[in-house]
Amino acid sequence: MSALVTLQRCGRRVLHARAAFDASRLGRYRSNQPGDSKDDNQLLKHLVMKIKATGPITVAEYMKEVLTNPIKGYYMHHDMLGEHGDFVTSPEISQVFGELIGIWCISEWMSGGKSKSLKLVELGPGKGSLMDDILRVFSQFQHLLNSCDISIHLVEVSPKLSEIQAMKLTGNNIETKYDEDTSAYKKGITKSGFKIYWYSDINDVPAGYTFFIAHEFFDALPIHKLQKTSDRWREMLIDVDPDIPHKLRFVLGSSTSPLAQTFIQADEKRDHIEVSPQSAVIIQKLARQINHCGGAALIADYGHSGDKTDTFRGFRAHQLHNVLIDPGTADLTADVDFGFLKRIVGNDVATLGPITQQEFLKNMGIDLRMKVLLDNNKDESTQQHLLQSYDFLMNPSKMGS
Ligand SMILES: C[S@@+](CC[C@H](N)C(=O)[O-])C[C@H]1O[C@@H](n2cnc3c(N)ncnc32)[C@H](O)[C@@H]1O
């Protein structure tokens, strides 16, 4: 059976949720004056030169450079996750989150006919915590899974994060010399004995019966911003402010955006939309692969069903951050349009959801799991921590919705 499951959630960047996580850390944040970027920001200099040479760039191009530029891109060389970083995500809050996704995988595998082999692919695995928790569940259900040849495939663009993942998942049991033809840039054996591979591009992952997991991945993919003016849709671009050196600003493209014809629906009611062609390409790839080889995908992110407008924003040290200031020092993100993703996959696969995180975790048995953990951990501070993290994941005013 083929299924594409979408799961909508409210994410790491919900300000009050993060503030509650560790309000004391917020003191660390020292903002520049509004409008200032650091003089020595190499990425900013590179962007300014590029814009001066070829003209204003799209928001998608800006996002791509700022997040994944090989030299100075935000994701490439540092660890931004957790209370000492810029944001926190559900897998970092509690092991229970990943464990329940592990349960989801096993239940899908069973209801899908217990295939003889399974590729578990995670897109954008961050610190590897989600996969670590999933694999611990797989080990506990080894008696069920031992008839299945399971391999792990991580799609990660960041050299720094891939190192952290390798350490967490394999204890650095990594092979540098390959005895087989693979497009992986790294491979090894997990602590629980599964083969594990790293790729920088989803297209490099070998085909087969696959479960794809993408947690807070799609929100990091570049978006274009289209604005409806009195007569047509035009694209918002990023330009250099002519009055202030090294200051970026938004401008409106002068002609009709060619993207409008492809991506704007005839009945579109909004006058501003954000669209991610890269997300479209990736979701199509997932759907086709599931259609041809079987499997499922679980897409978890904060998002909407095609009704939101301007959601592009930056986060640094758990605070909102102006997206055009000090590029490369803050995360850039936009809400995922689940309506768009579903429209793109069309009838290639069955799509379910989105549903809230709270509902998904309830369905997967979070209350039972919490009871077991609380029964097994009588220490008061551990119990308090467990209850706090449950509240973080489930409370609709935090990550639950
Ligand atoms: C917001 S983090 C989420 C990390 C993790 N899934 C979590 O929820 O804690 C986004 C992840 O996607 C990766 N990433 C971003 N853009 C990517 C791209 N174009 N290709 C592959 N990985 C990418 C980042 O390096 C990072 O691991």
Side-chain angles (χ1 to χ4, degrees):
M1 192 189 75
S2 298
L4 181 93
V5 178
T6 58
L7 157 68
Q8 183 179 8
R9 61 182 289 274
C10 165
R12 64 188 186 268
R13 285 114 179 159
V14 179
L15 211 51
H16 55 275
R18 279 195 317 282
F21 183 65
D22 185 356
S24 63
R25 296 232 59 86
L26 299 180
R28 259 182 347 111
Y29 176 72
R30 277 176 53 243
S31 163
N32 290 330
Q33 291 305 301
D36 281 359
S37 279
K38 291 217 181 77
D39 289 345
D40 59 351
N41 185 318
Q42 296 301 317
L43 190 57
L44 178 63
K45 285 184 181 161
H46 161 72
L47 287 162
V48 166
M49 265 168 46
K50 186 174 182 159
I51 293 169
K52 284 188 172 162
T54 59
I57 57 173
T58 64
V59 173
E61 198 175 347
Y62 178 75
M63 244 179 126
K64 183 168 181 239
E65 284 281 353
V66 171
L67 295 181
T68 58
N69 176 291
I71 314 284
K72 288 285 172 194
Y74 172 76
Y75 277 118
M76 304 308 270
H77 302 292
H78 78 283
D79 171 14
M80 66 295 297
L81 281 141
E83 59 179 299
H84 301 286
D86 294 316
F87 55 85
V88 66
T89 58
S90 293
E92 300 302 325
I93 285 174
S94 169
Q95 65 180 68
V96 173
F97 185 82
E99 289 172 354
L100 294 175
I101 293 196
I103 297 291
W104 176 85
C105 291
I106 293 174
S107 100
E108 283 294 315
W109 174 76
M110 292 179 72
S111 63
K114 300 186 181 172
S115 71
K116 290 270 172 281
S117 83
L118 167 64
K119 290 183 167 51
L120 182 57
V121 178
E122 186 178 356
L123 309 179
K127 288 167 99 148
S129 309
L130 175 58
M131 187 55 79
D132 200 36
D133 295 331
I134 293 175
L135 294 184
R136 200 175 46 257
V137 170
F138 279 19
S139 296
Q140 281 156 6
F141 285 87
Q142 212 173 358
H143 56 288
L144 278 179
L145 295 170
N146 61 13
S147 63
C148 182
D149 177 20
I150 298 174
S151 55
I152 312 304
H153 305 261
L154 304 182
V155 180
E156 176 55 76
V157 77
S158 161
K160 175 71 185 173
L161 290 176
S162 80
E163 269 174 32
I164 296 174
Q165 294 151 17
M167 184 55 84
K168 179 168 280 169
L169 295 167
T170 72
N172 233 9
N173 186 0
I174 293 296
E175 283 176 38
T176 45
K177 286 204 176 106
Y178 293 0
D179 54 357
E180 62 187 88
D181 188 22
T182 163
S183 44
Y185 65 78
K186 178 151 65 186
K187 76 169 187 173
I189 304 288
T190 68
K191 290 177 290 184
S192 41
F194 299 113
K195 283 185 179 168
I196 182 165
Y197 305 83
W198 278 260
Y199 313 82
S200 42
D201 192 313
I202 178 97
N203 289 306
D204 295 335
V205 180
Y209 185 90
T210 303
F211 289 166
F212 295 97
I213 310 285
H215 184 266
E216 296 212 13
F217 169 76
F218 280 92
D219 72 275
L221 297 181
I223 51 144
H224 292 263
K225 287 172 87 63
L226 304 181
Q227 178 69 42
K228 191 176 186 182
T229 57
S230 53
D231 54 342
R232 55 201 151 130
W233 285 92
R234 297 201 268 162
E235 178 153 12
M236 278 185 95
L237 303 171
I238 293 171
D239 197 1
V240 180
D241 191 322
D243 300 325
I244 309 172
H246 288 101
K247 182 161 188 261
L248 300 175
R249 60 169 191 169
F250 286 108
V251 293
L252 216 46
S254 52
S255 50
T256 304
S257 164
L259 292 169
Q261 205 168 3
T262 317
F263 293 111
I264 305 279
Q265 300 274 89
D267 59 352
E268 182 58 65
K269 301 262 185 313
R270 294 168 291 173
D271 60 8
H272 185 95
I273 73 155
E274 294 170 337
V275 66
S276 171
Q278 194 180 341
S279 298
V281 169
I282 293 176
I283 202 77
Q284 224 163 22
K285 157 92 191 163
L286 266 51
R288 286 195 183 136
Q289 154 112 28
I290 289 168
N291 202 355
H292 290 145
C293 306
L298 181 68
I299 316 296
D301 229 304
Y302 41 94
H304 58 96
S305 292
D307 48 326
K308 283 203 186 169
T309 56
D310 180 16
T311 71
F312 182 42
R313 58 206 186 279
F315 279 97
R316 188 163 80 175
H318 303 262
Q319 296 272 17
L320 273 169
H321 179 87
N322 184 325
V323 291
L324 298 184
I325 292 179
D326 252 340
T329 66
D331 188 24
L332 300 182
T333 176
D335 282 10
V336 173
D337 182 345
F338 284 105
F340 173 69
L341 297 184
K342 290 179 80 164
R343 204 166 69 235
I344 293 293
V345 301
N347 295 325
D348 276 0
V349 287
T351 61
L352 309 169
I355 59 171
T356 64
Q357 172 155 308
Q358 183 191 47
E359 204 179 342
F360 175 82
L361 295 178
K362 275 251 184 238
N363 291 346
M364 288 297 122
I366 191 169
D367 291 326
L368 192 61
R369 180 69 186 130
M370 281 302 292
K371 187 175 178 318
V372 171
L373 285 172
L374 289 169
D375 286 348
N376 291 344
N377 294 282
K378 295 292 183 200
D379 165 57
E380 199 179 321
S381 79
T382 309
Q383 289 209 338
Q384 209 167 19
H385 176 77
L386 284 167
L387 290 169
Q388 263 175 4
S389 48
Y390 175 92
D391 183 56
F392 232 85
L393 295 179
M394 297 291 283
N395 189 331
S397 68
K398 296 180 179 170
M399 287 173 158
S401 64

